[in-house]
Amino acid sequence: MTIKEVYEQTNSDYEDAMERLGSEKLISKYLLKFMELTDFNDMIKAISNKDWDDGFKTSHNLKGIALNMSFTELARSGSELCDTMRHGAPKSDISELVNKVSADYQAIMEVLKKFKDEM
């Protein structure tokens, strides 16, 4: 699987990633590092514990990484979730937002596992 295929299969922006990071070698390095990050699991744990400060921080980190990696769908859903926790406890149920971030994250991880296995 090529890096471009990773981006296509995750509805992400390959061209933006190339412009931002400059080479497929560097993108590949960061794709593999993305798999090691704990931000997603930390975010889920914080939200489950209703720790809104930590939930905000970890969702903000995940959103930023997604933006830097040009993971379009995850950046969009992560941004929406992050914004709901920006000022503490959300005013409404966020389970739908959490589910969307989870689905976007899991879709990326599935493709990245295939990418890594084929290296």
Side-chain angles (χ1 to χ4, degrees):
M1 172 179 298
T2 67
I3 291 172
K4 188 169 186 172
E5 289 171 330
V6 167
Y7 277 81
E8 288 170 352
Q9 290 181 23
T10 59
N11 295 318
S12 298
D13 192 339
Y14 171 80
E15 302 302 328
D16 188 61
M18 280 297 290
E19 186 175 311
R20 183 180 315 267
L21 298 172
S23 73
E24 285 199 350
K25 183 176 180 179
L26 199 54
I27 293 171
S28 179
K29 174 184 172 182
Y30 286 117
L31 289 175
L32 297 175
K33 285 210 174 278
F34 182 84
M35 296 177 72
E36 299 171 6
L37 298 175
T38 63
D39 295 282
F40 174 77
N41 291 328
D42 295 344
M43 179 193 73
I44 296 298
K45 182 179 176 183
I47 291 170
S48 295
N49 293 332
K50 297 188 182 338
D51 181 347
W52 304 118
D53 288 336
D54 200 36
F56 170 73
K57 289 174 190 171
T58 53
S59 67
H60 191 270
N61 288 346
L62 186 62
K63 173 191 78 166
I65 293 164
L67 285 167
N68 285 328
M69 292 301 300
S70 303
F71 292 147
T72 311
E73 297 294 322
L74 181 58
R76 187 176 299 124
S77 62
S79 179
E80 195 171 343
L81 177 60
C82 179
D83 287 347
T84 65
M85 293 184 286
R86 185 171 301 279
H87 302 292
K91 294 179 179 25
S92 61
D93 181 28
I94 62 169
S95 59
E96 193 173 309
L97 296 174
V98 172
N99 290 340
K100 177 65 173 132
V101 170
S102 295
D104 292 341
Y105 176 82
Q106 294 303 328
I108 290 168
M109 292 301 287
E110 286 176 24
V111 173
L112 290 180
K113 287 175 188 170
K114 291 177 192 172
F115 174 71
K116 183 178 180 183
D117 289 346
E118 292 179 13
M119 290 184 78

